[in-house]
Amino acid sequence: MLFPTYQRYDIRAARGEGAWLWDEAGRCWLDFTSGLAVCNLGHCHPRVTEAVQRQLETLWHVSNLFHIPLQEEVASVLTEASGLGAVFFCNSGAEANEAAIKLARKAARERREIERPKIITFEGSFHGRTLATLTATGQEKVKKGFAPLPEGFVTVPFGDLEAVKRAADDHAAAVMMELVQGEGGVRPADPAFVAELSRFCKEREILFIVDEVQTGMGRTGSLFAFERYGVTPDVVTLAKGLGNGIPVGAMMARPDLALVFGPGSHASTFGGNPVAMAAARAVLREIRRPELLENVRVQGERLLASLRDHLKGHPSVKEVRGLGLMVGIELAEEAAPVIRRARERGLLVLPAGPRVVRLLPPLIVTEEMVDRAVEILSDSVEALGVAGR
Ligand SMILES: Cc1ncc(COP(=O)(O)O)c(C=O)c1O
């Protein structure tokens, strides 16, 4: 048997194409989950599929004791696109954040002589399930049962600059944040807060780490969400959409930070594997197309505006919010019945905490799909109201 670590939907997934998912019995859904912000280009994107197939016939894996030209190529695309200088490849979001935490600690010790480096994170954040990243995560539920946890983390309220300043004593090595909290309820950070926080970190030589595991790879309407916020982080982490379903993660950092990690400091057997790199190269080519990013902004605005319009004044709806194609509907009650009803009507959506319905459609979503999803969701929320009356 499998460990019962997931509360699974009653769907036995069999096949995917674009924004559509089929089960073993041939039933079909409009998939606004994208494998949890992974299949950003839709399921089985033909050019990514072709790139991976070609790579499978050429070279699957060599260790990182060899030069891997594809890694260098993907790294140069990422550094050119991000303005950052160095890339470390791994296999998941948690690993990318773990690498960022290790980098921040080592940089603090070596460059600022901080013996017990501290990393400041935010309430409601999610950074992964390894021991360090769950400690960094600002949600108690992910930590329960796993003590003793590593030291060196402090969590402050999301958006509270004064609280950051109070926490930023002489041990402060880094601030780590999501610009739009995903698992924590689709909460976009206030742009003024982000700008001031970035300035404060620079003044104090505290590393500004932006976790773009969910917001990156076009999800918010630019390749990275930090572009939409107009800030320049010192470290950025990626995973999910980078391989469109092939596991791959990355930590990118300012060029001068590259020398903090020397041979033996950090490693990953599978990190930057040729198959993963072939997928990432093809994905980056597609996502950087201006028409695709334009589609994210246009359809994202349509989805947000249309949901707000349809759900306006509904007693069960507290707020509709989001950025690009990362949208949340916060309810005054449990989200599960809405998610279930939408699924029965042919639309797959996600929870983000107990009361938020989260929408993560693929970036190739069309106007018709957006309108269909809004219709199903309005009906699903309406049914909640009827049931509750
Ligand atoms: C913002 C953020 N960081 C990190 C992670 C962890 O990524 P992974 O599950 O690939 O380890 C997630 C996963 O949902 C995430 O949303």
Side-chain angles (χ1 to χ4, degrees):
M1 70 178 282
L2 297 168
F3 270 99
T5 39
Y6 306 101
Q7 220 166 4
R8 298 180 193 268
Y9 299 152
D10 186 20
I11 293 177
R12 297 180 66 78
R15 186 168 74 83
E17 190 181 318
W20 302 95
L21 184 77
W22 284 263
D23 75 357
E24 286 179 337
R27 281 184 303 173
C28 173
W29 287 265
L30 181 56
D31 185 0
F32 270 35
T33 71
S34 303
L36 238 165
V38 169
C39 309
N40 282 1
L41 293 169
H43 296 289
C44 301
H45 187 280
R47 275 187 286 275
V48 182
T49 305
E50 195 200 326
V52 170
Q53 277 171 344
R54 217 177 318 120
Q55 190 58 41
L56 285 171
E57 287 160 16
T58 313
L59 179 67
W60 286 34
H61 181 83
V62 282
S63 83
N64 278 305
L65 296 175
F66 295 83
H67 292 279
I68 302 174
L70 260 173
Q71 251 182 37
E72 291 161 17
E73 195 180 331
V74 177
S76 85
V77 175
L78 284 172
T79 52
E80 184 253 313
S82 66
L84 292 161
V87 184
F88 177 84
F89 288 111
C90 52
N91 314 286
S92 67
E95 279 176 80
N97 287 334
E98 190 85 23
I101 291 164
K102 286 178 72 176
L103 184 79
R105 286 186 170 188
K106 199 155 182 290
R109 190 164 284 112
E110 288 174 4
R111 301 192 171 179
R112 295 176 53 213
E113 290 167 20
I114 298 175
E115 268 311 304
R116 303 179 79 78
K118 176 159 113 180
I119 294 179
I120 300 167
T121 66
F122 293 97
E123 286 171 13
S125 62
F126 184 82
H127 298 297
R129 300 280 189 167
T130 60
L131 276 175
T133 57
L134 75 81
T135 309
T137 291
Q139 300 186 49
E140 283 313 306
K141 65 181 182 198
V142 308
K143 307 182 194 202
K144 235 170 118 189
F146 297 116
L149 301 178
E151 56 180 298
F153 295 91
V154 58
T155 303
V156 301
F158 189 46
D160 187 342
L161 189 66
E162 290 312 309
V164 175
K165 288 182 178 171
R166 280 195 299 277
D169 57 17
D170 291 344
H171 301 280
V175 169
M176 179 150 109
M177 78 177 297
E178 299 161 83
L179 293 171
V180 183
Q181 288 189 340
E183 304 301 304
V186 192
R187 293 175 204 282
D190 171 16
F193 164 71
V194 174
E196 283 176 38
L197 177 65
S198 160
R199 209 171 310 125
F200 173 74
C201 287
K202 273 197 181 56
E203 274 164 24
R204 291 283 310 275
E205 283 185 74
I206 295 170
L207 293 184
F208 184 38
I209 304 173
V210 174
D211 176 347
E212 295 246 21
V213 168
Q214 194 160 149
T215 55
M217 302 311 292
R219 177 56 55 193
T220 68
S222 51
L223 186 61
F224 308 112
F226 73 75
E227 298 169 75
R228 294 213 67 176
Y229 276 84
V231 290
T232 321
D234 301 302
V235 179
V236 171
T237 55
L238 290 176
K240 290 189 182 281
L242 182 56
N244 212 57
I246 297 287
V248 50
M251 175 197 58
M252 311 188 286
R254 250 173 31 208
D256 62 289
L257 290 166
L259 297 177
V260 172
F261 275 176
S265 305
H266 195 52
S268 163
T269 296
F270 291 121
N273 160 301
V275 178
M277 292 295 99
R281 180 174 64 177
V283 166
L284 280 160
R285 266 191 203 138
E286 290 302 312
I287 291 190
R288 293 188 75 197
R289 282 183 19 238
E291 316 87 83
L292 186 80
L293 292 171
E294 173 70 8
N295 190 58
V296 178
R297 290 190 289 268
V298 169
Q299 301 309 336
E301 275 157 32
R302 184 179 184 90
L303 181 59
L304 203 57
S306 184
L307 281 171
R308 281 181 177 148
D309 187 39
H310 279 74
L311 300 175
K312 193 166 64 195
H314 194 287
S316 301
V317 177
K318 283 179 78 174
E319 193 182 15
V320 181
R321 56 181 177 248
L323 189 66
L325 284 171
M326 193 170 172
V327 170
I329 307 167
E330 182 171 348
L331 300 174
E333 50 204 284
E334 293 283 308
V338 174
I339 295 169
R340 198 178 321 114
R341 175 141 178 110
R343 193 159 65 242
E344 285 161 7
R345 295 218 38 211
L347 175 72
L348 301 175
V349 290
L350 295 155
R355 295 186 168 195
V356 176
V357 179
R358 178 171 34 159
L359 281 58
L360 296 168
L363 314 186
I364 48 147
V365 73
T366 63
E367 197 173 294
E368 293 71 34
M369 291 172 186
V370 165
D371 294 348
R372 178 85 188 116
V374 171
E375 189 193 315
I376 293 176
L377 283 165
S378 309
D379 166 84
S380 305
V381 172
E382 206 47 55
L384 187 73
V386 171
R389 273 200 280 272

